[in-house]
């Protein structure tokens, strides 16, 4: 089984294209969020939080390979922790997405603590989309995760984040020794040697396959097929299985048959 935990759609890249990607690349499940709820999406619509996430649910009802992720816009007037808790409890969202760069907010417990406290009840992990900007500094991410140790955080790379990924992996290694936060990292924009190194440094339980679909446009499918073929031939079988399916099934509580 193959699960991609990091994909997005919006008014320019419809969910149907993600479903096509999943079918061609033999991705059984892809977790998707709606970039039309982003504050700075460069041409996409600026839907409010509820409408954007309802559109995500509708897209996933239409396409069986897609699973919804709730995109949060903290600090905006259309965002309420009561509404988020209700949505996560009543709809099949697999996770809550935090994207401080796209949605223009700080990763502070003062802003996010009430939202994250709800996740302890609903048992949802966080997908935290990181970039190279100051709001995604490893120390800031660590402080937020340490203050919310019962919430799993999966760090998902944006483009051009190689140096930030290396910093975050170092931070995850230290965090694992301290055992004071629940942190994971995805494989978006990393090549096979970098993914193998991450698994070596963190162990196979802390690295999860994600591709940031469809960030490479028409070349995304062949790029990911080639990457997966290389990973399958170079990683131990159990590590490949955990990377591409078992970690995601466990963490996101996914039912491949629903």
């Amino acid at each position: 089984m193959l699960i991609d935990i990091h994909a997005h759609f919006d008014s320019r890249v419809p969910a149907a294209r993600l479903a096509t990607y999943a079918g061609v690349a033999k991705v059984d499940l892809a977790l998707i969020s709606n970039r039309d709820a982003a504050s700075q999406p460069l041409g996409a619509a600026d839907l409010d939080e509820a409408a954007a996430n309802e559109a995500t649910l509708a897209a996933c009802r239409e396409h069986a390979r897609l699973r919804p992720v709730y995109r949060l816009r903290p600090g905006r007037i259309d965002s309420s922790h009561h509404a988020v808790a209700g949505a996560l409890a009543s709809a099949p969202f697999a996770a809550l997405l935090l994207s401080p760069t796209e949605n223009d907010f700080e990763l502070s417990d003062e802003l996010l603590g009430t939202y994250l406290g709800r996740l302890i009840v609903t048992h949802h992990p966080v997908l935290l989309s990181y970039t190279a900007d100051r709001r995604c500094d490893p120390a800031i991410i660590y402080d937020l995760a340490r203050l919310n140790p019962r919430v799993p955080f999966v760090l998902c790379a944006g483009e051009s984040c190689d140096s930030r990924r290396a910093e975050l992996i170092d931070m995850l290694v230290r965090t694992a020794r301290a055992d004071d936060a629940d942190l994971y990292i995805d494989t978006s924009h990393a090549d096979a040697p970098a993914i193998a190194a991450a698994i070596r440094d963190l162990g196979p339980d802390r690295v999860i396959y994600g591709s940031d679909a469809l960030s490479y446009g028409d070349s995304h499918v062949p790029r990911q097929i080639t990457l997966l073929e290389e990973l399958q031939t170079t990683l131990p079988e159990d590590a490949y299985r955990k990377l591409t399916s078992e970690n995601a099934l466990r963490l996101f509580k996914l039912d491949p048959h629903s």
Side-chain angles (χ1 to χ4, degrees), residues 92-125:
F93 290 104
L96 181 76
L97 175 73
L98 298 178
S99 184
T101 301
E102 289 185 332
N103 285 104
D104 192 23
F105 64 90
E106 303 290 332
L107 287 173
S108 71
D109 193 62
E110 181 180 4
L111 176 64
L112 298 169
T114 304
Y115 291 103
L116 297 176
R118 300 281 183 168
L119 301 187
I120 296 172
V121 177
T122 62
H123 306 290
H124 285 80

Side-chain angles (χ1 to χ4, degrees), residues 6 19 32 49 90 96 112 115 125 166 189 193 202 205 209 220 252:
H6 186 185
I32 68 167
E49 186 175 291
S90 62
L96 181 76
L112 298 169
Y115 291 103
H189 308 286
L202 298 174
D205 296 326
Y209 178 71
H220 196 91
F252 298 95

